[in-house]
């Protein structure tokens, strides 16, 4: 009987995918198809949960088949991330008029990311104190205790490395290994390696112009091919979101969420407040926040459902360049840096909230200024190199909690609601990287205001 219901569920999913394909053939806009996929996924997921329960064999088998579309789509995006980063950054730097511009671009983007992550930590502290969050109020079951033990085992690796040693990991000692994602800092290492190649081309322009011209043509050809691959993959976004949100909705345990409703509520209050701060910042730099939200929302929806900042990089870059008028160089740098540096959700709000919750268990007053200032500084510094995939927040929390001499095992108490909170955190991470790119483009006067104001721009993926 389970097999029969699994087949029925898969057939329903195929019908929903067929509906989205029909919408595409009718030339329905990309944004509307994304939201349709999101809505259908939520409805279908709740129906599955109501009919079979979150832990049933039918749900397990059905979502396993759904993953062919959802996880397959995320995998295809991850496939193009490294090639896109490399050719985009090399191309952007090669076309710079002066090397100093690269420093300005990088410095401006990183500055915005670090300033906002410090603000995010502050918002998280205020929110945690306002909700009176305390780790001792959360009861630990077998699953939570097991997660706590795993975190204690992991923290040894974090403590063994000082902050300078962690910074040294950004150096691409083996760039080919980093292209395979061998380390947590691989994405940032690829950025650094690509930047060196771009700067090297600028250097041989004068000494060996023929070789430089040959290399430029090669990069331009590869760049065109990679962009076409990205376009083809992005066309699958509505289907990927449909499958991803269906699985998430069907497997989310409502009872567990209700037990930790106070923490979930506080987390999303902090995330929403920080998102509003992002809008205030872009408004101060002369951009219409309503226009901004309308244009970035499909990208944030994908980040929300996929829970991967790294996988969102191609869509992030496309949104900045095609919809917001950000130059390609700044868009690629901000999307890439934002996936590994200064993540407002994973490296800012989450670790700070855990620290405030856990501090009273060891006799520390979380309202003391010494604790608050120290926490904000540690969160900001440790926000370098947080992996832009699921689990990055846990890694950031290990660094912060161990540095603050707080028991990391208590972070395992939240495992049951981790996926739900992680969706919001990832969306905020991606929005922060877009905000950094948009603000930097304004500061460096590399923004096309007409593109930002254009109400009829669709991503290439919508009509490719």
């Amino acid at each position: 009987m389970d097999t029969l219901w699994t087949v029925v569920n898969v057939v329903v999913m195929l019908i929903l995918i067929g509906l989205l394909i029909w919408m595409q053939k009718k030339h329905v806009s990309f944004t509307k198809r994304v939201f349709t996929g999101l809505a259908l996924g939520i409805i279908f997921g709740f129906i599955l949960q109501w009919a079979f329960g979150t832990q049933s064999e039918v749900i397990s088998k059905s979502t396993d088949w759904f993953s062919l579309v959802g996880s397959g789509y995320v995998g295809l995006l991850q496939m193009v991330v490294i090639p896109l980063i490399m050719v985009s950054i090399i191309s952007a730097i090669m076309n710079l008029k002066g090397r100093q511009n690269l420093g300005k671009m990088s410095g401006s983007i990183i500055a915005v990311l670090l300033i906002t992550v410090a603000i995010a930590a502050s918002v998280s502290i205020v929110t945690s104190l306002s909700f009176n969050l305390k780790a001792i109020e959360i009861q630990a079951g077998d699953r939570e205790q097991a997660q706590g033990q795993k975190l204690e085992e992991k923290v040894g690796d974090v403590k063994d490395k000082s902050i300078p040693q962690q910074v040294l990991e950004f150096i691409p000692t083996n760039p080919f290994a980093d292209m395979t994602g061998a380390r947590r800092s691989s994405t940032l290492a690829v950025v650094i390696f690509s930047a060196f190649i771009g700067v090297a081309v600028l250097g041989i322009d004068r000494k060996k112009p023929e070789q430089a011209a040959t290399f430029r043509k090669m990069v331009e050809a590869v760049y065109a091919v990679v962009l076409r691959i990205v376009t083809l993959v992005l066309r699958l976004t509505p289907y990927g979101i449909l499958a991803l949100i269906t699985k998430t909705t069907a497997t989310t345990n409502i009872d567990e969420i209700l037990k930790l409703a106070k923490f979930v509520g506080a987390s999303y209050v902090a995330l929403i407040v920080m998102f509003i701060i992002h809008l205030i910042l872009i408004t101060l730099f002369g951009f219409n926040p309503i226009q901004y939200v309308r244009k970035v929302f499909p990208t944030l929806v994908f980040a929300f459902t996929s829970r991967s900042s790294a996988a969102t990089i191609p869509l992030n870059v496309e949104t900045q360049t095609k919809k917001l008028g950000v130059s390609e160089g700044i868009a690629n740098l901000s999307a890439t840096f934002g996936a590994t540096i200064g993540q407002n959700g994973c490296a800012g709000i989450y670790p700070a909230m855990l620290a405030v919750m856990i501090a009273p268990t060891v006799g520390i007053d979380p309202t003391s200024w010494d604790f608050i200032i120290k926490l904000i500084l540690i969160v900001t510094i440790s926000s370098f190199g947080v992996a832009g995939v699921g689990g990055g927040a846990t890694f950031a929390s290990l660094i912060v909690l161990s540095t603050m001499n707080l028991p990391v095992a208590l972070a395992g108490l939240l495992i049951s609601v981790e996926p739900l909170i992680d969706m919001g955190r990832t969306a905020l991470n991606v929005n922060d990287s877009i905000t950094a790119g948009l603000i930097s483009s304004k500061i460096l006067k590399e923004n096309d205001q007409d593109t930002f104001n254009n109400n009829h721009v669709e991503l290439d993926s919508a009509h490719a």
Side-chain angles (χ1 to χ4, degrees):
M1 195 65 179
D2 287 351
T3 301
L4 176 61
W5 279 115
T6 300
V7 172
V8 171
N9 294 335
V10 172
V11 170
V12 173
M13 174 59 72
L14 291 175
I15 292 173
L16 296 178
I17 291 174
L19 175 61
L20 293 174
I21 293 174
W22 176 82
M23 291 176 67
Q24 181 177 359
K25 289 182 178 179
K26 291 295 182 179
H27 305 291
V28 176
S29 71
F30 178 77
T31 301
K32 290 180 180 177
R33 284 185 282 124
V34 167
F35 286 129
T36 301
L38 178 67
L40 291 175
I42 292 173
I43 295 170
F44 188 30
F46 274 124
I47 292 174
L48 290 175
Q49 183 175 147
W50 171 78
F52 305 105
T54 58
Q55 303 298 322
S56 69
E57 190 69 18
V58 174
I59 291 292
S60 178
K61 290 181 178 179
S62 298
T63 54
D64 198 30
W65 282 100
F66 298 166
S67 294
L68 284 175
V69 179
S71 299
Y73 173 62
V74 173
L76 288 174
L77 280 170
Q78 292 173 332
M79 171 189 75
V80 300
V81 166
I82 295 301
L84 177 64
I85 288 173
M86 288 198 66
V87 297
S88 297
I89 291 180
I90 292 172
S91 177
I93 295 175
M94 284 193 318
N95 295 318
L96 292 177
K97 295 181 179 179
R99 297 185 192 181
Q100 191 176 9
N101 290 337
L102 176 61
K104 289 181 178 179
M105 288 162 54
S106 302
S108 176
I109 292 167
I110 293 175
V112 173
L113 291 173
L114 293 183
I115 290 171
T116 53
V117 80
I119 296 173
S122 304
V123 168
S124 181
I125 293 170
V126 172
T127 305
S128 303
L129 294 174
S130 300
F131 276 77
N132 196 27
L133 297 179
K134 295 179 181 178
I136 55 176
E137 295 178 352
I138 303 175
Q139 294 182 350
D142 294 339
R143 189 183 177 198
E144 286 76 14
Q145 290 177 354
Q147 177 69 4
Q149 291 176 355
K150 288 182 181 179
L151 293 177
E152 285 185 327
E153 293 172 1
K154 289 181 180 180
V155 78
D157 296 333
V158 176
K159 282 187 174 181
D160 290 341
K161 294 181 180 179
S162 64
I163 291 178
Q165 289 174 327
Q166 293 176 38
V167 172
L168 284 174
E169 289 188 349
F170 300 155
I171 298 176
T173 54
N174 187 342
F176 297 102
D178 285 321
M179 290 176 197
T180 67
R183 303 180 298 156
R184 283 187 173 273
S185 57
S186 286
T187 304
L188 195 55
V190 169
V191 172
I192 294 172
F193 178 64
S194 303
F196 269 101
I197 294 176
V199 172
V201 175
L202 293 177
I204 64 174
D205 268 337
R206 297 184 300 274
K207 297 181 180 179
K208 299 180 179 179
E210 291 183 4
Q211 288 88 335
T214 301
F215 187 80
R216 285 176 184 275
K217 290 181 180 179
M218 181 181 71
V219 171
E220 289 171 0
V222 174
Y223 187 45
V225 172
V226 170
L227 284 184
R228 183 56 186 169
I229 294 174
V230 170
T231 298
L232 294 174
V233 173
L234 290 182
R235 292 179 65 182
L236 304 174
T237 300
Y239 317 111
I241 285 179
L242 167 65
L244 287 167
I245 198 64
T246 299
K247 180 178 179 180
T248 300
T249 308
T251 56
T252 299
N253 192 320
I254 302 299
D255 292 335
E256 295 292 341
I257 293 174
L258 292 176
K259 290 179 183 178
L260 295 169
K262 188 177 180 181
F263 178 79
V264 174
S267 297
Y268 272 90
V269 166
L271 292 170
I272 292 170
V273 169
M274 197 59 214
F275 180 76
I276 293 172
I277 291 175
H278 288 171
L279 296 183
I280 292 173
L281 288 174
I282 66 172
T283 302
L284 292 176
F285 279 87
F287 297 101
N288 186 324
I290 297 176
Q291 181 85 326
Y292 170 84
V293 171
R294 189 182 69 81
K295 292 195 170 191
V296 305
F297 207 69
T299 303
L300 300 184
V301 167
F302 173 73
F304 185 86
T305 53
S306 68
R307 295 171 52 200
S308 174
S309 299
T312 313
I313 287 176
L315 196 57
N316 186 333
V317 173
E318 188 91 345
T319 299
Q320 289 193 54
T321 55
K322 302 297 183 182
K323 288 189 171 186
L324 303 180
V326 178
S327 67
E328 289 186 356
I330 292 177
N332 280 284
L333 285 174
S334 63
T336 307
F337 285 164
T340 50
I341 297 174
Q343 294 188 346
N344 285 194
C346 290
I349 287 176
Y350 190 66
M353 189 167 287
L354 285 180
V356 172
M357 288 175 58
I358 295 172
T361 65
V362 291
I364 298 176
D365 179 10
T367 63
S368 68
W369 281 109
D370 288 344
F371 173 84
I372 291 173
I373 293 173
K374 181 181 179 182
L375 178 57
I376 293 173
L377 289 175
I378 290 175
V379 165
T380 304
I381 295 172
S382 65
S383 68
F384 276 86
V386 175
V389 294
T394 301
F395 181 70
S397 299
L398 290 178
I399 297 175
V400 173
L401 294 178
S402 61
T403 305
M404 297 285 292
N405 294 317
L406 298 173
V408 298
L410 293 177
L413 296 172
L414 306 170
I415 184 175
S416 58
V417 294
E418 175 71 15
L420 177 63
I421 300 171
D422 195 41
M423 292 191 294
R425 292 192 309 237
T426 306
L428 185 67
N429 294 341
V430 172
N431 190 68
D432 185 49
S433 67
I434 297 174
T435 300
L438 189 60
I439 290 176
S440 296
S441 70
K442 185 73 171 184
I443 294 174
L444 300 175
K445 299 179 180 179
E446 292 192 28
N447 179 263
D448 185 349
Q449 193 70 38
D450 291 336
T451 299
F452 183 91
N453 293 331
N454 188 348
N455 291 318
H456 304 288
V457 175
E458 277 286 342
L459 293 183
D460 286 347
S461 52
H463 49 72

